[in-house]
């Protein structure tokens, strides 16, 4: 889509781009407080060292006060090099934008606000117009993109990052000289924060703490990923300003602010402040993070009470990243309980087939997937960006495969599919929504919008979750099958991962170096009959889908691990409507290329053979990962960033009982839950021979007859059709 206007109205019935959140103000009286009581309480947190197996060359850190140690440790971006793939194609297109787009345009509003020379640069436009109340947020994302790129080896952008950071420091200094609050940095006056504290609504103001978070997060990334010391100084001053300002507010005042529609949105301010706490050990930053606890939501999610319906998805998801860090520092279980439960409320209960969530940016009712599909207004890309971050952080603390199952789904589909497959030096060409309605098209662009900002980051960090290590360095997790090479300096090991994914399921890991290591290989839930072999010898024991397989041994240079993950076609059914389905090939959602404005009717059972494989109904085309059905429809991988109209969901239509083209002359009966006789029969595939198939049809049809859903005469016709069908 074209970049959205400053105050667009197309996202909902209200005057804004978002639909108003449900729910009133939480009662202050009797609330169980999650945040710290104040500076004294925060200062009592013990200052214990945080274990890390992978130190980054940068200025020395203070010991990080933390009580909840992570089970796993991520590798630096510099330790993992990507091989050419769909992911590097997206990355390289974003890097073209990063190299070509003038840095002064990203700084013009900051310089103007600080009374500095804007150097003749034109504003970005869209939500970054000089009159926009959100101006400055996109620059924060830009900093994160640059930092990720530099940390990944794109050294040509190091000078650009330094220029941007230094310029922001100059703006911060200039604002202070002019009599502004110490540490304040933004592209607009501090008056928006004054207005929020007396509850001035949107659109008079527009999420000032949200914008503050984006700037702080970008500066923190510049320090964390590249060691830019000035960035740490600037963001520390911002954190001190935030602590000072919020210390003057009351708890009731803050709770009311955080529940205000758009005006009170604060992104991940609590996460950024906790990052500062981890870096500096300054307890005031932890206290400030606690000021952002949204009590009513924390309490409900900690108690596993699902109140997400009607709430703005991306206004709330980022908060939970901060709650995880609050748990790490305080050990208070409700924080982590709230995050785990929130995740479970979204996955799968509010998740579309490509991993996205939300309609009109809003969480809809639990388990109402099909009922919430509205043309091109589903699945905001920002929400997927933040759900991926939450999933990653949960997995680092608790390596449950379900988190990486979701991560793979959303990364390989929504995120990979959110970048147009063409180059541009003046537009990121990323999506705002990745819609799921019938006959929709992706809208690319979004220079200056929220999803344009997260889009800058999405495609410059694909390697950050392929490998994780155990905190003691004895274990290596292989989470995602993306072609890459890990250089594990602390263990003097190199692990090269070559793969045919996302079009085929064969991968090989090659080890260089030696020593004992427990290699944990994710076996995706979609990979039935997976196989693993070390140096050509099959690993004994079960290889269970939806788990991690442990291969523990003394490794030597040249050892190889072959991982075969059969990628088969399958259908997935919407939770609220089993007739509304999607097709997937391994981890990849497939979309039917069609502009038809209503859900397409698709029949699959009539083409099946004894194997029950959908490969007899859809045939591969010459383009890897593409399929064609008997009616000529092309089914493309979701990750292909094209302009074609498509259908992610279709209406399954199997009106008659037909076996391998043999029509039994019987209407396919339907249960109250909308599953059919043919669903029940083919759920038992594969069949070893015709006899087993006929026996299955006999047994299943008897059950349906006993339930009064199939007459005796129709059952006989079904059995005759099964006996006559040529299924081999």
């Amino acid at each position: 889509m074209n970049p959205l206007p400053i105050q667009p109205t197309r996202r909902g019935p209200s005057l804004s781009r978002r639909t108003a959140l449900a729910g009133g103000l939480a009662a202050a009286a009797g609330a169980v407080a999650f945040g710290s009581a104040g500076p004294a309480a925060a200062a009592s947190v013990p200052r214990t060292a945080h274990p890390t197996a992978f130190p980054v060359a940068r200025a020395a850190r203070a010991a990080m006060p933390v009580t909840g140690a992570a089970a796993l440790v991520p590798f630096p971006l510099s330790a993992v090099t990507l091989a050419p793939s769909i992911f590097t194609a997206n990355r390289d297109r974003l890097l073209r934008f990063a190299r070509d787009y003038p840095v002064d345009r990203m700084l013009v509003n900051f310089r103007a606000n600080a009374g500095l020379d804007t150097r003749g640069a034109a504003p970005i436009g869209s939500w970054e117009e000089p009159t926009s109340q959100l101006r400055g947020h996109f620059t924060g994302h830009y900093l994160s993109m640059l930092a990720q790129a530099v940390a990944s080896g794109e050294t040509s952008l190091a000078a650009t990052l330094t220029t941007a950071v230094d310029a922001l420091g100059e703006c911060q200094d200039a604002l202070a000289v002019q009599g502004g609050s110490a540490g304040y940095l933004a592209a607009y006056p501090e008056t928006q924060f004054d207005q929020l504290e007396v509850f001035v609504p949107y659109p008079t103001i527009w999420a000032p703490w949200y914008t503050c978070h984006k700037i702080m997060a970008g500066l923190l990334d510049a320090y964390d990923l590249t060691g830019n010391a000035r960035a740490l100084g600037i963001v520390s001053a911002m954190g001190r300003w935030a602590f000072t300002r919020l210390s003057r507010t009351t708890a009731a005042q803050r709770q009311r602010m955080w529940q205000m529609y758009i005006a009170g949105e604060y992104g991940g301010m609590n996460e950024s402040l906790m990052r500062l706490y981890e870096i500096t050990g300054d307890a005031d930053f932890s206290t400030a993070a606690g000021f952002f606890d949204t009590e009513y939501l924390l309490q409900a999610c900690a108690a596993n009470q699902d109140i997400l319906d009607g709430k703005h998805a991306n206004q709330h998801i980022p908060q939970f990243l901060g709650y995880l860090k609050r748990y790490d520092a305080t050990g208070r279980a409700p924080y982590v309980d709230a995050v785990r439960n929130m995740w479970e409320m979204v996955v799968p209960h509010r998740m579309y087939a490509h991993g996205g969530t939300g309609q009109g940016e809003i969480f809809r009712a639990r388990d109402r997937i099909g009922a919430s599909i509205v043309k091109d207004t589903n699945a905001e890309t920002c929400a997927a960006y933040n759900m991926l971050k939450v999933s990653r952080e949960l997995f680092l603390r608790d390596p449950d495969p379900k988190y990486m199952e979701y991560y793979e789904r959303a990364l390989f589909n929504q995120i990979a599919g959110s970048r147009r497959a063409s180059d541009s030096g003046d537009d990121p060409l990323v999506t705002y929504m990745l819609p799921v309605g019938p006959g929709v098209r992706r809208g690319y662009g979004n220079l200056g919008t929220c999803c344009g900002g997260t889009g800058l980051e999405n495609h410059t960090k694909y390697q950050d979750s392929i490998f994780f290590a155990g905190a003691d360095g004895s274990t290596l997790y292989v989470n995602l099958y993306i072609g890459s090479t890990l250089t594990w300096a602390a263990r003097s090991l190199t692990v090269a991962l070559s793969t045919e994914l996302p079009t085929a399921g064969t991968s090989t890991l090659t080890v260089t170096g030696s020593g004992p290591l427990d290699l944990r290989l994710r076996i995706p839930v979609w990979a039935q009959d997976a196989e693993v072999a070390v140096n050509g010898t099959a690993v004994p024991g079960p290889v269970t889908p939806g788990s991690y397989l442990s291969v523990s041994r003394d490794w030597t240079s040249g050892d190889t691990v072959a991982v075969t993950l059969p990628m088969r076609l399958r259908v997935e059914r919407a939770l609220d409507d089993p007739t509304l389905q999607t097709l997937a090939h391994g981890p990849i959602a497939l979309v039917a290329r069609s502009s038809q404005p209503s859900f397409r009717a698709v029949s699959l059972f009539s083409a099946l053979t004894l194997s029950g494989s959908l490969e007899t109904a859809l045939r591969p085309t010459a383009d890897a990962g593409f399929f064609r059905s008997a009616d000529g429809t092309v089914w493309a991988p979701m990750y292909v960033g094209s302009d074609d109209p498509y259908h992610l969901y279709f209406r399954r239509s199997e009106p008659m009982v037909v076996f391998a083209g043999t029509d039994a002359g019987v209407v396919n009966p339907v249960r109250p839950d909308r599953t059919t006789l043919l669903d029940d029969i083919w759920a038992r595939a594969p069949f070893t021979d015709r006899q087993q198939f006929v026996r299955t049809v006999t047994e299943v049809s008897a059950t349906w007859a006993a339930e009064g859903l199939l007459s005796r005469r129709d059952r006989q016709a079904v059995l005759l059709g099964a006996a006559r069908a040529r299924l081999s």
Side-chain angles (χ1 to χ4, degrees):
M1 71 183 77
N2 293 325
L4 299 182
I6 299 299
Q7 295 172 1
T9 59
R10 64 187 299 269
R11 293 294 167 204
S14 69
L15 53 80
S16 71
R17 70 184 176 94
R18 296 171 176 169
T19 302
L21 304 180
L25 302 178
V32 178
F34 285 79
S36 61
S44 69
V45 177
R47 296 172 181 254
T48 56
H50 177 63
T52 176
F54 314 106
V56 180
R58 61 185 176 203
R61 288 181 174 221
M64 180 170 66
V66 62
T67 61
L72 304 179
V73 182
F75 289 91
L77 292 174
S78 59
V80 182
T81 304
L82 293 176
S85 67
I86 63 168
F87 304 104
T88 56
N90 280 349
R91 178 201 65 191
D92 292 347
R93 292 182 180 114
L94 250 298
L95 290 178
R96 159 77 184 277
F97 172 82
R99 287 189 293 266
D100 290 359
Y101 202 83
V103 64
D104 285 333
R105 295 191 67 186
M106 294 287 178
L107 299 167
V108 63
N109 286 326
F110 287 91
R111 286 169 168 158
N113 184 55
L116 300 178
D117 182 5
T118 60
R119 307 188 181 186
I124 295 171
S126 182
W127 296 2
E128 290 288 338
E129 285 287 351
T131 56
S132 168
Q133 298 284 50
L134 206 70
R135 61 191 184 273
H137 77 108
F138 198 77
T139 303
H141 292 294
Y142 175 74
L143 292 177
S144 293
M145 173 190 67
L146 293 176
Q148 289 171 179
V150 171
S152 301
E154 191 69 22
T155 56
S156 65
L157 292 171
T160 306
L161 177 60
T162 299
T163 296
V165 170
D166 288 349
L168 291 176
E170 292 166 3
C171 292
Q172 188 180 55
D173 293 343
L175 289 169
V177 168
Q178 295 165 21
S181 299
Y184 179 71
L185 175 62
Y188 46 68
E190 198 172 349
T191 51
Q192 276 210 82
F193 295 90
D194 299 332
Q195 292 171 302
L196 176 61
E197 289 169 9
V198 293
F199 317 122
V200 173
Y202 176 86
T204 303
I205 63 171
W206 189 353
W209 284 109
Y210 170 95
T211 302
C212 183
H213 165 246
K214 305 312 167 195
I215 301 165
M216 290 184 69
L219 290 164
L220 283 163
D221 287 340
Y223 171 71
D224 263 336
L225 299 177
T226 74
N228 189 306
R230 186 161 193 193
L232 178 59
I234 298 166
V235 74
S236 295
M238 292 181 72
R240 175 61 52 188
W241 166 82
F243 168 75
T244 301
R245 177 162 201 117
L246 289 173
S247 293
R248 298 195 298 261
T249 62
T250 68
Q253 187 180 11
R254 293 191 297 272
Q255 292 308 306
R256 182 174 173 183
M257 287 193 298
W258 307 150
Q259 293 183 70
M260 290 180 66
Y261 168 58
I262 294 184
E265 183 175 358
Y266 61 76
M269 271 300 304
N270 50 358
E271 181 199 17
S272 286
L273 287 162
M274 289 306 296
R275 288 174 69 184
L276 272 175
Y277 175 52
E278 293 168 355
I279 292 167
T280 66
D282 188 330
D284 286 348
F285 295 138
S286 178
T287 300
F291 288 153
F292 287 95
D293 285 357
T294 304
E295 298 287 358
Y296 86 99
L297 184 63
L298 266 171
Q299 292 166 23
C301 288
N304 203 20
Q305 297 172 358
D306 189 338
I307 62 168
L308 297 186
D309 184 17
K311 291 179 172 49
H312 188 278
N314 200 54
Q315 176 165 347
H316 294 89
I317 298 169
Q319 300 174 19
F320 289 85
L321 292 162
Y323 299 149
L324 276 177
K325 288 190 174 293
R326 293 285 291 157
Y327 168 72
D328 291 342
T330 67
R332 295 173 185 167
Y335 278 122
V336 71
D337 291 343
V339 183
R340 288 172 177 156
N341 291 338
M342 183 280 295
W343 190 92
E344 297 274 0
M345 294 169 193
V346 177
V347 182
H349 301 289
R350 293 178 170 88
M351 181 190 74
Y352 301 111
H354 60 15
T357 189
Q359 185 277 315
E361 304 185 8
I362 305 298
F363 281 131
R364 298 306 175 186
R366 184 184 180 102
D367 295 331
R368 301 291 287 170
I369 303 301
S372 67
I373 294 175
V374 182
K375 198 60 176 176
D376 62 353
T377 63
N378 296 93
E380 183 186 7
T381 311
C382 279
Y385 161 91
N386 279 306
M387 279 300 296
L388 282 171
K389 293 179 74 171
V390 172
S391 301
R392 182 179 192 261
E393 293 301 317
L394 281 170
F395 186 81
L396 286 169
R397 291 158 176 80
D398 173 19
D400 189 319
K402 67 186 179 184
Y403 298 126
M404 276 298 150
E405 292 291 343
Y406 171 79
Y407 200 99
E408 177 185 67
R409 179 190 292 265
L411 186 74
F412 279 50
N413 292 290
Q414 175 151 15
I415 299 303
S418 67
R419 179 57 171 80
R420 189 178 189 180
S422 61
D423 291 335
S424 174
D426 57 14
D427 194 318
L429 293 179
V430 293
T431 60
Y432 196 104
M433 303 284 183
L434 199 64
V436 301
V440 293
R441 297 176 189 265
R442 280 169 256 217
Y444 303 103
N446 289 290
L447 181 68
T449 72
C450 58
C451 291
T454 54
L456 300 182
E457 299 181 43
N458 282 330
H459 305 290
T460 49
K461 60 172 182 175
Y462 280 117
Q463 73 269 39
D464 76 346
S465 298
I466 299 173
F467 304 99
F468 291 151
D472 63 359
S474 66
T475 306
L476 178 66
Y477 279 72
V478 180
N479 305 312
L480 302 169
Y481 294 93
I482 296 175
S484 54
T485 298
L486 165 67
T487 301
W488 193 352
R491 289 292 310 268
S492 299
L493 285 174
T494 299
V495 179
L497 169 57
S498 62
T499 183
E500 296 179 2
L501 275 144
T503 59
T506 301
S507 301
T508 302
L509 294 103
T510 303
V511 177
T512 301
S514 61
L517 180 68
D518 184 2
L519 187 65
R520 303 280 179 90
L521 303 168
R522 188 173 68 87
I523 309 300
V525 72
W526 49 262
Q528 302 297 316
D529 305 316
E531 298 176 353
V532 176
V534 177
N535 298 330
T537 300
V539 173
V543 181
T544 307
S547 71
Y548 277 79
L549 178 69
S550 172
V551 182
S552 185
R553 55 178 276 145
D554 278 321
W555 300 87
T556 60
S557 287
D559 283 346
T560 61
V561 182
V563 182
T564 303
L565 307 172
M567 288 179 62
R568 299 189 176 100
L569 291 169
R570 70 182 190 282
V571 296
E572 294 185 355
R573 297 170 171 84
L575 295 177
D576 55 335
D577 183 353
T579 71
L580 195 64
Q581 302 181 0
T582 63
L583 274 171
H585 181 227
I588 305 303
L590 298 177
V591 295
R593 288 188 169 171
S594 167
S595 60
Q596 180 176 313
S598 58
F599 289 117
R600 291 170 56 86
V602 174
S603 176
L604 299 171
F605 285 142
S606 62
L608 301 190
T609 62
L610 291 173
S611 69
S613 171
L614 293 177
E615 276 77 1
T616 58
L618 289 91
R619 300 290 186 178
T621 72
D623 296 319
F626 286 70
F627 294 84
R628 190 184 304 275
S629 51
D631 64 358
T633 300
V634 172
W635 297 77
M638 183 85 246
Y639 59 73
V640 176
S642 75
D643 296 306
D644 298 289
Y646 65 88
H647 290 239
L648 177 59
Y649 287 88
F650 58 87
R651 183 69 64 190
R652 188 66 175 270
S653 177
E654 308 283 356
M656 303 298 292
V657 177
V658 181
F659 299 117
T662 300
D663 190 341
V666 175
V667 172
N668 186 21
V670 183
R671 284 196 172 111
D673 66 1
R674 288 187 279 188
T675 59
T676 71
L677 171 68
L678 289 177
D679 289 325
D680 214 353
I681 291 170
W682 288 108
R684 290 157 171 76
F687 305 104
T688 56
D689 51 33
R690 177 188 295 275
Q691 288 72 30
Q692 185 189 13
F693 173 74
V694 172
R695 283 197 303 271
T696 299
V697 174
T698 301
E699 294 167 2
V700 172
S701 62
T703 299
W704 281 69
E707 293 175 5
L709 298 172
L710 190 65
S711 69
R712 180 177 179 181
R713 180 176 179 177
D714 283 349
R715 181 174 180 243
Q716 291 301 316
V718 168
L719 294 175
L720 183 59
R724 290 177 173 173
R726 296 183 178 182
L727 292 161
S728 56

